[in-house]
Amino acid sequence: MNAAGAWLVELRRLVLLSIGALGVGWVLGFPWLVLALALLALLGRWLYQLQRLQRWLADPSIEPPEARGIWGVIYDRLYKVQRSAQERQAQLQSRLDYLQGSLSSMHDGAIMVNAKGGIEWSNTAAERLLGLRYPADRGQALLNLVRLPEFHRYFLAAAFDSPLQVTIKAEHVQYLQFSVTSFGGGDRLVFVRDVTKEAQLEQMRRDFVGNVSHELRTPLTVIKGYLETILANAGQLESRYRRPLEQMEQQAARMESLLKDLLWLSRIESVRTQPRREQVNICALLEELEDELHTSHPGRKLLLELAAIDTVAGDYRELHSAVSNLVLNAFKYSKDDSIVTVGWRREGGRLLLSVQDQGIGIDMVHLPRLTERFYRVDDSRSSATGGTGLGLAIVKHVAAAHRAELRIESTPGAGSTFTLVFPG
Ligand code: ADP
């Protein structure tokens, strides 16, 4: 029965009850009293139904009450609303269980942190990697339980663009990588991975490159020494041997600078995790570099524009090698009579060290890969200029070790600007 029909039945029942009561009352001589009693009885019945309804609402697990008429319709509707709410809740719960199940079984640690920094949930891998226990630690501040200073700084700085790698020196060295995603109104999802194997492999690769470069230097020095001696006595040489020997000497020199760059790169890569806190006077560094280049490249024009006197916390040799690589590139890839400008200035709270040339420039397609080892825009040109292909890789590593960003702007045919942007 629908609601309108039920109301009609209820109304008809009320009218019939009233007429009946009045009729019986009229026969008995008390029509109003009997009517009042009949209406009271009806009211009592409604109160009884209301009480059954209240009991059922208080405990939805009991069977819903049965009734006819409008009360039956009301119970029916409420029962349907209750059932669909239960179904929706069960669906949501099963989705939640599914999500939590997949996060729980993850090999990586996952921790949900609320806007106040308290732990909402964490999985079993987070217990294995960080010792967080769920649900025992629920509501506790994450930073009170994860006592890693680097992670504290990273988490509080809230700059989550790149992950953080932390070295834990316990019985065995362990490397953990944290990545954080913000969601909702300031909540955060923290993922933590054990990257010890990857880090050890990377270390092995670096050591290997470093050792091989080191081992190759001694035989190369011997070869170079003999070549130099032979060529110094060139007068006694048959002319057909001179050209090949000169080429051998050139290539040996190239190989030597390649080994030098490889060794230097592996050195700055391996000390990267130890912060160096010497205050480097950039103006003095640039003036010294200017003097050196004046001697090594007497014909070249270098212009210093020093608009800041700020120092940078870091390593003098590394910064010197980065700027000198940039300036030597600027010399290599521009005409001999063009000017190379090196600037040191403050801009928008940051410190900018720029090297600008008016050379051949670089097409935009090459920019994303330019700092890769041995990446060259034009192989023939680079070999002709004697480059090792490692210069910009060194610059990038030095920049990263000093929390600086390397910006490259270039217009083919007009020139390039390489800028190291240091946080102010
Ligand atoms: P290389 O030793 O070959 O110069 P780098 O790593 O220093 O190696 O540079 C990588 C490549 O980037 C170079 O081969 C060159 O093509 C390009 N490049 C670097 N600096 C400049 C510049 N100032 N102007 C034009 N091209 C450049």
Side-chain angles (χ1 to χ4, degrees):
M1 191 186 296
N2 63 18
W7 274 118
L8 273 179
V9 170
E10 206 65 31
L11 220 61
R12 202 176 318 137
R13 196 179 280 164
L14 182 68
V15 172
L16 286 177
L17 181 78
S18 307
I19 293 172
L22 279 174
V24 172
W26 188 69
V27 172
L28 295 176
F30 311 106
W32 298 116
L33 184 66
V34 175
L35 177 66
L37 285 174
L39 289 176
L40 214 61
L42 186 69
L43 191 66
R45 187 172 156 263
W46 282 3
L47 280 175
Y48 168 65
Q49 295 292 11
L50 268 176
Q51 191 238 358
R52 289 174 79 196
L53 175 64
Q54 181 269 325
R55 253 204 345 238
W56 175 54
L57 288 179
D59 181 8
S61 64
I62 60 171
E63 279 292 298
E66 295 243 359
R68 280 182 305 182
I70 191 63
W71 286 103
V73 172
I74 289 172
Y75 292 151
D76 211 35
R77 278 284 148 83
L78 280 175
Y79 181 59
K80 278 188 186 142
V81 169
Q82 191 200 43
R83 253 216 344 236
S84 83
Q86 276 169 349
E87 274 165 19
R88 225 172 313 140
Q89 196 182 352
Q91 261 177 14
L92 279 175
Q93 189 60 46
S94 90
R95 269 185 217 166
L96 203 68
D97 291 348
Y98 179 77
L99 265 176
Q100 284 201 345
S102 56
L103 283 172
S104 290
S105 58
M106 266 176 62
H107 194 65
D108 297 346
I111 311 143
M112 281 180 194
V113 184
N114 62 28
K116 288 185 185 143
I119 297 172
E120 284 292 330
W121 178 86
S122 64
N123 66 357
T124 38
E127 176 165 356
R128 182 171 40 82
L129 295 169
L130 298 170
L132 301 179
R133 287 160 305 128
Y134 183 83
D137 290 336
R138 193 176 170 174
Q140 298 257 28
L142 176 68
L143 295 184
N144 284 348
L145 300 179
V146 179
R147 297 194 164 273
L148 299 168
E150 291 110 307
F151 179 69
H152 278 220
R153 262 178 262 129
Y154 177 72
F155 195 74
L156 294 173
F160 303 133
D161 297 344
S162 47
L164 166 82
Q165 188 162 313
V166 177
T167 313
I168 298 172
K169 291 191 178 97
E171 199 179 327
H172 302 286
V173 179
Q174 191 187 25
Y175 298 87
L176 294 182
Q177 191 183 63
F178 290 90
S179 30
V180 182
T181 320
S182 299
F183 67 99
D187 293 356
R188 279 142 297 176
L189 183 57
V190 181
F191 282 112
V192 50
R193 273 184 75 199
D194 185 344
V195 289
T196 309
K197 271 207 186 101
E198 289 93 322
Q200 279 168 346
L201 272 174
E202 179 61 19
Q203 184 64 43
M204 273 166 66
R205 182 194 64 76
R206 279 202 295 258
D207 291 350
F208 177 75
V209 173
N211 291 339
V212 167
S213 315
H214 190 72
E215 292 302 321
L216 283 176
R217 276 181 94 180
T218 319
L220 189 64
T221 314
V222 175
I223 295 171
K224 250 192 96 199
Y226 277 123
L227 283 169
E228 269 165 26
T229 319
I230 296 170
L231 282 163
N233 303 312
Q236 302 154 19
L237 265 183
E238 260 187 64
S239 61
R240 65 186 164 128
Y241 290 131
R242 184 169 308 157
R243 179 93 190 100
L245 282 169
E246 276 169 1
Q247 273 183 358
M248 280 162 81
E249 197 194 23
Q250 269 171 21
Q251 292 304 322
R254 212 173 144 218
M255 217 160 140
E256 195 178 36
S257 54
L258 190 64
L259 291 179
K260 207 176 98 230
D261 277 1
L262 270 174
L263 261 174
W264 179 236
L265 191 57
S266 81
R267 186 194 160 258
I268 58 178
E269 276 181 334
S270 51
V271 293
R272 208 180 138 172
T273 42
Q274 299 155 17
R276 293 159 298 266
R277 292 290 123 210
E278 169 196 353
Q279 285 299 326
V280 180
N281 181 341
I282 299 293
C283 291
L285 184 151
L286 294 179
E287 277 158 3
E288 189 188 321
L289 184 69
E290 188 187 30
D291 285 347
E292 287 164 13
L293 292 168
H294 195 66
T295 318
S296 60
H297 295 72
R300 303 296 311 232
K301 290 176 193 143
L302 184 71
L303 183 68
L304 290 194
E305 283 181 353
L306 307 176
I309 51 159
D310 300 72
T311 55
V312 164
D315 184 283
Y316 185 90
R317 276 180 67 200
E318 288 188 9
L319 288 167
H320 183 283
S321 89
V323 194
S324 96
N325 268 310
L326 290 177
V327 177
L328 289 176
N329 273 352
F331 282 170
K332 269 192 279 179
Y333 301 105
S334 64
K335 290 213 184 82
D336 283 352
D337 58 351
S338 72
I339 298 175
V340 171
T341 313
V342 180
W344 177 233
R345 63 184 189 281
R346 187 170 265 286
E347 204 176 277
R350 289 164 167 228
L351 288 161
L352 273 56
L353 203 170
S354 59
V355 177
Q356 186 183 23
D357 65 54
Q358 296 154 5
I360 57 169
I362 309 154
D363 198 293
M364 240 175 68
V365 291
H366 299 291
L367 296 186
R369 298 193 56 197
L370 213 58
T371 54
E372 284 175 20
R373 286 147 204 247
F374 302 114
Y375 184 83
R376 272 143 176 185
V377 173
D378 177 351
D379 243 341
S380 55
R381 191 175 188 100
S382 295
S383 351
T385 53
T388 61
L390 293 170
L392 290 181
I394 291 176
V395 177
K396 195 183 128 191
H397 274 284
V398 173
H402 290 80
R403 293 197 298 129
E405 180 200 340
L406 173 64
R407 269 190 214 150
I408 308 172
E409 290 146 307
S410 191
T411 314
S416 320
T417 306
F418 289 76
T419 312
L420 289 169
V421 184
F422 296 89

